[in-house]
Amino acid sequence: SKPHSHRAKLEEDQEHLKNSYNNLLKQHTDVEALLQDLRLDITKRGSIPSETKMAQTNKDLDSIEHTCQALLAFYNDNCPKWKRTWESELHGIVQEKQFSDDVHQLLRELLEDTAPLRDLFTKLEKIAELKAKERLMKSGSSQPKFLSIVPHEDDDLARQIMLSEIQGIEIDHERRLEALERATKSREKELTNRVDEFEKELGDYVTNQKLRKTGGTEELERRRKKKDEEVLKAMLSSMAEVRLAADIGANPG
């Protein structure tokens, strides 16, 4: 009922999702760099990080996890509304396309129907010129207003022929109404079929998650898991190096 407000809300939601993701990604990158420094401090430099630094790192990780969960919930709550907006816009696109096709066909038919009107006007114009010439000749004027179309002796015959042709011209007014009615019915039928196909395709894409992934919360979750795995592997490797160094120190021979 309010397509413009729905589109505005969708764009606002998408902008919020994009900005939140970008901020979260930056925060994630900063925390990852900090954890790498902590790993080097513990495994290579032999230093122990301060409790304040460890607490802040833990707080940042909690913030990232909480924000991810909140954005996922936001997506799940609003995606059905977005889908309805997309379907409505597709419906409008199909309507506009069908309307333009109908107008194109009706314009061509209207141009064809204009041909007998042009023929009628041409014949009426000739009759008017003949009458004007006859009137001027009777009044004795030597400067007729219109040019002579036919010789004087053929005036009566030409007039009779054109009058007969004018009376024979038929303008089919009903044809226009019938054409409009046919176009309207065809438009409604084709619109229904097209919208059903578009909406089904859109529903399948959304339901089956076939839309191309260009980022968003799913990409964020994938990257988070990958980074967690890398950090865990690095930590385990560093711990193994520390144990190996300790064993060598305890048994120098």
Side-chain angles (χ1 to χ4, degrees):
S1 59
K2 298 179 180 179
H4 296 295
S5 62
H6 294 167
R7 163 48 57 178
K9 180 63 168 60
L10 188 151
E11 292 179 354
E12 180 183 348
D13 291 344
Q14 295 286 314
E15 187 69 15
H16 167 69
L17 198 61
K18 180 183 72 174
N19 293 335
S20 298
Y21 170 74
N22 290 336
N23 293 334
L24 193 62
L25 187 60
K26 182 178 181 302
Q27 186 180 7
H28 184 278
T29 302
D30 293 341
V31 172
E32 181 183 10
L34 180 59
L35 281 172
Q36 292 295 341
D37 288 340
L38 291 176
R39 181 179 71 85
L40 291 175
D41 288 343
I42 294 175
T43 60
K44 299 293 185 181
R45 300 169 186 146
S47 62
I48 300 176
S50 65
E51 293 184 1
T52 301
K53 195 172 185 179
M54 295 295 289
Q56 182 61 44
T57 303
N58 184 56
K59 183 179 179 181
D60 291 341
L61 288 172
D62 288 342
S63 175
I64 292 174
E65 292 170 346
H66 174 75
T67 305
C68 281
Q69 294 171 354
L71 289 176
L72 285 171
F74 176 81
Y75 172 86
N76 293 331
D77 291 341
N78 289 278
C79 189
K81 301 175 185 177
W82 301 339
K83 179 175 177 292
R84 287 194 293 271
T85 300
W86 293 328
E87 289 174 346
S88 175
E89 290 177 347
L90 284 175
H91 187 279
I93 292 171
V94 173
Q95 280 185 319
E96 292 173 2
K97 176 63 169 60
Q98 186 60 45
F99 170 75
S100 63
D101 291 343
D102 290 343
V103 171
H104 176 261
Q105 180 61 30
L106 291 172
L107 285 172
R108 295 183 63 178
E109 294 178 2
L110 190 61
L111 185 60
E112 294 176 0
D113 291 345
T114 306
L117 298 180
R118 169 59 65 182
D119 187 38
L120 174 60
F121 174 78
T122 301
K123 289 179 170 58
L124 290 173
E125 187 177 40
K126 290 180 179 180
I127 291 292
E129 289 178 356
L130 288 172
K131 287 183 174 293
K133 175 190 172 184
E134 187 178 87
R135 183 177 301 171
L136 289 172
M137 291 180 66
K138 288 180 179 180
S139 65
S141 174
S142 60
Q143 297 294 331
K145 186 177 181 182
F146 296 97
L147 295 176
S148 179
I149 306 300
V150 296
H152 176 68
E153 58 273 13
D154 295 333
D155 282 358
D156 292 337
L157 178 60
R159 186 185 303 110
Q160 292 300 325
I161 292 174
M162 282 188 285
L163 285 173
S164 177
E165 290 178 350
I166 290 173
Q167 291 174 355
I169 294 176
E170 295 182 359
I171 301 174
D172 191 356
H173 302 285
E174 297 296 330
R175 184 171 179 268
R176 294 257 38 84
L177 297 177
E178 291 176 358
L180 285 170
E181 186 177 356
R182 288 196 308 272
T184 301
K185 291 181 179 179
S186 174
R187 179 186 177 190
E188 291 175 352
K189 183 177 180 181
E190 188 171 353
L191 178 61
T192 301
N193 294 335
R194 288 188 181 181
V195 171
D196 289 343
E197 293 175 1
F198 270 53
E199 291 184 350
K200 182 178 183 302
E201 183 179 356
L202 176 63
D204 292 343
Y205 267 67
V206 174
T207 302
N208 299 329
Q209 297 180 346
K210 293 181 181 178
L211 293 174
R212 179 183 177 189
K213 294 181 177 62
T214 57
T217 55
E218 293 183 0
E219 177 68 10
L220 175 63
E221 183 68 15
R222 185 188 67 78
R223 292 186 57 161
R224 185 181 68 81
K225 289 182 180 180
K226 182 179 179 181
K227 294 298 182 182
D228 288 346
E229 292 175 0
E230 292 176 354
V231 171
L232 180 59
K233 289 180 182 179
M235 292 290 289
L236 291 175
S237 176
S238 297
M239 291 176 66
E241 293 174 1
V242 172
R243 290 195 186 96
L244 180 61
D247 291 341
I248 293 175
N251 302 282

